[in-house]
């Protein structure tokens, strides 16, 4: 007999939870760094640089580490990517720089670029002056909407160029995805806030909290009051399953749950289902599945409508889930969630297959999985309503803000970057957008 | 059949079970170490240099290192002096060890002041130990030269000749003269040893060096209470220098029949084979043992023996000096020879190191094509001078190979080259 609606707190002891949520990839030791950095071949026109959205000169910073110039390595990283510390921790390096590493070819083991980057940034010598200086005040004032990775990178670059920046942030804390969306074990010890303190040290950046676009401030107002505006508001809506039972208690939005988890001071307090189903195939699906396991869920199953090979999450992420005891059910398309007012008991799926033309079709076969909680992790959507009705930037065919190669929107003084234009969910891409938009704004002003 | 039987050899009349001796240095300082070495399988030792009593005193902090990128030891130096134990203790131990290990070679290294009486006094006691020979330490570059010994003698050919002659006069044992590399032309001291009647030379001793400077204290390493001095450099990074010096003596008409015991950065069997091919009859090892312990003798013997068997060499002398006829002066090299690099695309990993090297520092002979996902490097054959730099920088063993090009032209040396204004007519 299954126990229906088994959702409770304190499934594990605090000590167990602390252990489960400790740093997933601990820092390299000095000796490991010596070995890892020596493996870098100092490639010419290195493929890893191409693979990094922020074009960090990876061979150069690794060489600097190897020669003992670790502070120089950190400066090299941060000058290309001011959030190089968090990127080192959260980037899916296995699909970016490390995938491009030439050491994969014969040795099937790339240089550990991400971990080396973390080593360097963590050792920026704070007894030396702040590594960036502001140019003389330009008298220009730029508004940035959203203190996420894109907005912070943009703000830092603009501040370096001598502009005044005000960031309008809807939440109570800055950091965006880094603060509210990244799995806890990837960014421990309140790293996001420490990193933002470092970003703001450049000076000339003010952050106003609790200022949501479309609620507390309007785009028109900001355009009137500033010389340029950068929008980096991410995606606020979550895709729906659109199946019966979705409204029942126990059906949760993964993004919202992770957000709560990231802000919870005592993780044992979080309600955790005994049997958890995660619908989705991306990084968020992996994150919520693994974190559910780490909180003490007995059975966690990721269900995906296509084959496992089509999953958006990298193999590395999938392995992480498997290692944490998460099950995968693939080729299963949600049809309904069963339950009552007190909660849910079962989720049903149709087995899918590919037809002759390669199109995914549902078969008659029904798969039924018992559950207490269902997490939806099937992607987020950009909501354009905060942009207002008149004089708003043009949207692209996916409904996101449309920009040109300079990250400029259809409004010449309004720029945008991060997930609200792209939606790849990558911190490092958001930083790249912020950097490039800042340079374009600087040139324009 | 005895293991590695093909390694048994004879050097200036001294029989050894293999050509590997431990050089005169800390590993051969006392009976305990030497017995451990013999147990491990070393063919012989050159006992750490004996001198007159009172024995010198060593400082604390004796070795300095030159590291590679990953803490691998490229070489290190030392500022140790000769044995810091009394002469009699050493002589007693040598006598006992030789008695217990009759099939192993013990050579006694010696360094006393450059006076006939000093040599005359020490030699009988050494001979009485039953040791197989003596090695004259004319090479030690640190400390001892300040006292008029070691390299201070080795740098003056007349002294070498004189002391060698004394040793031959007052002792019936074979005499090996150990040469210092800290001179301009190593053939001169070798000639002097030959004139003095030496049975053999051994080389190289260590090289004058400062391995590093501590940038915090501004003291050279190894630092002794904040001050440093030059020491003797050794290890695999000195091997190329040693090989060249060995070959110089082996090629030199005045010394070409002088037996050589090769020393200098020998770390594995291949190094040993190279020294032997360039003129050494046996080899002495020190640094590799100091880094890894005596157990490396197993690979030294095994590797060399197997290689010899594969090549059909029945004993060491079969390939000794085989590379000498191919070692010549620049002026005799074939100007019409041509080789160019070839990049094996299947083995290339696309690191572009060859391109950076050739484009920035050589002859711009590599073409870079393709896009970010598929970089391709190819040789521009017309531009390639066959310098080998790309092959050297390539991290993949088989990705770049140098290929001989048949120019169809006859051998033409600089001596006869039309561009040489002083050419000799054939």
């Amino acid at each position: 007999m299954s126990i229906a609606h088994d959702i409770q707190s304190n499934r594990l002891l605090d000590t167990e939870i602390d252990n489960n949520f400790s740093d997933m990839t601990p820092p390299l030791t000095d000796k490991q760094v010596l070995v890892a950095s020596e493996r870098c071949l100092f490639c010419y026109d290195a493929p890893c640089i191409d693979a990094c959205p922020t074009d960090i000169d990876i061979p150069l910073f690794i060489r600097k580490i190897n020669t003992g110039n670790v502070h120089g390595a950190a400066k090299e990283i941060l000058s290309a990517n001011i959030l190089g510390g968090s990127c080192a921790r959260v980037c899916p390096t296995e699909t970016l720089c490390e995938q491009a590493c030439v050491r994969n070819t014969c040795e099937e083991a790339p240089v550990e670029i991400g971990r080396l980057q973390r080593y360097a940034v963590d050792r920026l010598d704070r007894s030396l002056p702040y590594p960036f200086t502001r140019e003389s005040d330009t008298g220009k004032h730029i508004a940035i909407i959203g203190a996420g990775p894109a907005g912070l990178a943009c703000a830092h670059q603009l501040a370096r160029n001598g502009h005044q920046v005000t960031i309008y942030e809807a939440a109570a804390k800055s950091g965006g995805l880094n603060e509210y969306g990244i799995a806890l074990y990837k960014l421990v010890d309140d790293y996001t806030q420490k990193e933002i303190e470092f970003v703001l040290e450049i000076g000339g950046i003010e952050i106003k909290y609790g200022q949501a676009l479309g609620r507390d401030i309007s785009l028109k107002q900001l355009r009137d009051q500033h010389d340029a505006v950068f929008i980096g508001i991410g995606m606020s809506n979550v895709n729906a399953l659109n199946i019966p039972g979705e409204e029942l208690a126990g059906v949760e939005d993964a993004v919202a749950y992770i957000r709560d988890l990231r802000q919870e001071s005592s993780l044992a307090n979080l309600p955790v289902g005994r049997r958890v189903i995660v619908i989705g195939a991306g990084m968020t699906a992996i994150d919520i599945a693994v974190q559910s396991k780490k909180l003490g869920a007995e059975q966690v199953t990721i269900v995906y409508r296509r084959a496992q090979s089509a999953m958006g999450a990298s193999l590395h992420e999938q392995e992480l889930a498997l290692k944490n005891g998460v099950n995968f059910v693939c080729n299963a398309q949600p049809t309904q969630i069963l339950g009552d007012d007190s909660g849910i008991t079962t989720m049903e799926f149709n087995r899918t297959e590919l037809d002759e033309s390669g199109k995914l079709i549902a078969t008659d076969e029904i798969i039924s999985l018992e559950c207490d909680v269902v997490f939806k992790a099937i992607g987020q959507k950009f909501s354009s309503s905060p942009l207002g009705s008149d004089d708003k930037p043009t949207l692209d065919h996916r409904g996101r803000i449309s920009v040109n190669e300079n990250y400029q929107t259809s409004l010449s003084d309004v720029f945008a970057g991060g997930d609200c234009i792209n939606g790849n969910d990558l911190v490092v891409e958001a930083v790249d957008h912020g950097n490039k938009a800042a340079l374009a704004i600087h040139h324009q002003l | 059949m005895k293991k590695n039987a093909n390694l048994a050899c004879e050097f200036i009349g001294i029989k050894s079970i293999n050509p590997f001796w431990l050089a005169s240095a800390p590993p051969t300082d006392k009976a305990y170490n030497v017995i451990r070495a013999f147990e491990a399988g070393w063919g012989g030792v050159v006992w750490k240099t004996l001198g007159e009593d009172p024995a010198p005193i060593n400082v604390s902090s004796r070795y300095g290192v030159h590291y590679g990128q990953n803490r691998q030891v490229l070489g290190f130096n030392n500022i140790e002096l000769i044995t810091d134990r009394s002469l009699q203790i050493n002589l007693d131990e040598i006598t006992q060890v030789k008695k217990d290990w009759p099939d192993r070679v013990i050579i006694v290294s010696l360094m006393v002041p450059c006076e006939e009486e000093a040599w005359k006094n020490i030699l009988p006691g050494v001979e009485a130990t039953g040791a197989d020979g003596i090695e004259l330490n004319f090479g030690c570059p640190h400390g001892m030269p300040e006292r008029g010994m070691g390299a201070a003698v080795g740098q003056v050919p007349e002294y070498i000749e004189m002391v060698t002659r004394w040793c031959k006069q007052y002792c019936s044992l074979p005499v090996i003269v150990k040469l210092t590399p800290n001179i301009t032309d190593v053939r001169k001291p070798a000639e002097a040893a030959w004139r003095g009647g030496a049975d053999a030379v051994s080389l190289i001793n260590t090289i004058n060096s400062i391995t590093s400077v501590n940038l915090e204290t501004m003291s050279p390493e190894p630092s002794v209470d904040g001050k440093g001095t030059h020491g003797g450099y050794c290890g695999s990074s000195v091997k190329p220098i040693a090989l060249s010096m060995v070959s110089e003596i082996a090629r030199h008409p005045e010394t070409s029949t002088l037996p050589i015991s090769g020393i200098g950065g020998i770390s594995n069997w291949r190094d040993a084979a190279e020294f032997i091919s360039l003129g050494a009859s046996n080899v002495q090892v020190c640094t590799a043992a100091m880094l890894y312990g005596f157990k490396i003798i197993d690979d030294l013997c095994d590797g060399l023996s197997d290689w010899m068997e594969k090549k059909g060499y029945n004993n060491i002398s079969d390939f000794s000096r085989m590379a000498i006829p191919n070692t010549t002066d620049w002026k005799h090299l074939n100007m019409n020879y041509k080789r160019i690099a070839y990049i094996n695309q299947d083995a290339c990993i696309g690191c572009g190191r060859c391109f950076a090297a050739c484009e920035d520092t050589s002859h711009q002979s590599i073409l870079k094509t393709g896009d970010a996902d598929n970089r391709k490097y190819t040789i521009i054959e017309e531009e390639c001078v066959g310098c080998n730099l790309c092959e050297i920088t390539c991290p993949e063993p088989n990705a770049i190979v140098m290929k001989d090009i048949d120019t169809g032209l006859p051998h033409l040396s600089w001596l006869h080259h039309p561009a040489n204004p002083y050419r000799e007519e054939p």
Side-chain angles (χ1 to χ4, degrees), chain B residues 20-32:
Chain B
F20 300 107
W21 295 355
L22 283 165
S24 170
T28 61
D29 184 38
K30 54 187 183 296
Y32 182 82

Side-chain angles (χ1 to χ4, degrees), chain B residues 233-269:
Chain B
Y233 193 53
C234 61
S236 60
S237 56
V238 313
K239 176 193 134 185
I241 298 164
L243 271 182
S244 171
M245 289 189 162
V246 165
S247 78
E248 287 292 293
I249 292 169
R251 286 176 57 210
H252 186 46
E254 319 302 318
T255 54
S256 61
T257 56
L258 185 59
I260 299 170
S261 183
I263 312 170
I266 295 162
S267 307
N268 55 54
W269 63 268

Side-chain angles (χ1 to χ4, degrees), chain B residues 3 16 22 29 33 50 74 80 90 104 109 200 230 236-237 262 264 266 271 278 305 326 343 346-347 368 370 418:
Chain B
K3 198 180 167 196
S16 182
L22 283 165
D29 184 38
N33 304 68
L50 312 187
L74 304 177
E80 269 202 4
N90 277 302
R104 305 305 167 93
S109 174
H230 68 88
S236 60
S237 56
I266 295 162
D271 293 337
L278 270 182
S305 179
N326 296 328
I343 300 178
D346 292 336
K368 177 173 183 283

Side-chain angles (χ1 to χ4, degrees), chain A residues 336-404:
Chain A
Q336 61 174 332
I337 302 169
L338 305 176
D340 55 33
D341 292 344
S342 62
I344 57 176
T345 55
T346 311
M347 186 163 180
E348 287 187 353
F349 305 84
N350 275 129
R351 173 75 70 193
T352 63
E353 60 184 31
L354 295 178
D355 70 8
E356 284 162 4
S357 66
K359 195 177 162 229
L360 191 74
I361 51 162
T363 66
D364 294 339
E365 187 187 339
I366 291 173
I367 302 165
S368 182
L369 297 174
E370 293 182 345
C371 56
D372 304 293
V373 167
V374 170
F375 281 116
K376 295 182 282 182
I378 48 175
Q380 288 175 273
K381 272 195 305 208
F382 174 65
S383 164
S384 66
S385 58
L387 296 173
S389 45
D390 31 61
D391 266 357
K392 64 171 192 178
T394 312
L395 303 183
D396 66 14
H397 65 284
R398 294 179 306 176
R400 295 174 191 157
I401 299 172
S402 175
V403 293
N404 64 17

Side-chain angles (χ1 to χ4, degrees), chain A residues 31 34-38 40-48 50 63 66-67 102-103 105-107, chain B residues 69-72 346-353 355-356 359-360 368 371-373 375 377 395-396:
Chain A
K31 175 63 192 174
L34 203 59
V35 176
S37 62
E38 195 262 338
C40 176
L41 291 169
F42 204 64
C43 291
Y44 180 83
D45 187 18
C48 54
D50 279 339
R63 183 170 178 83
N66 190 264
T67 65
V102 300
R103 286 276 191 191
T105 312
C106 292
E107 298 160 66
Chain B
Q69 270 184 294
N70 181 10
R71 212 182 149 82
Q72 70 274 38
D346 292 336
C348 174
I349 61 172
C351 71
R353 285 274 296 276
F355 181 82
E359 195 70 10
D360 287 353
K368 177 173 183 283
D371 54 20
D373 296 327
R375 289 167 174 74
Y377 298 96
E396 289 300 319

Side-chain angles (χ1 to χ4, degrees), chain B residues 289-320:
Chain B
M290 290 184 77
L291 292 173
Y292 299 105
F294 292 144
K295 192 179 170 184
I296 59 165
I297 186 60
D298 189 275
D299 174 56
L300 285 166
C301 288
D302 221 39
L304 185 62
S305 179
D306 286 354
W307 171 79
M308 284 168 58
E309 196 173 335
K310 216 164 160 182
K311 288 285 179 187
Y313 303 133
N314 294 322
N315 53 61
I316 298 291
S317 57
D318 279 2
F319 70 97
S320 176

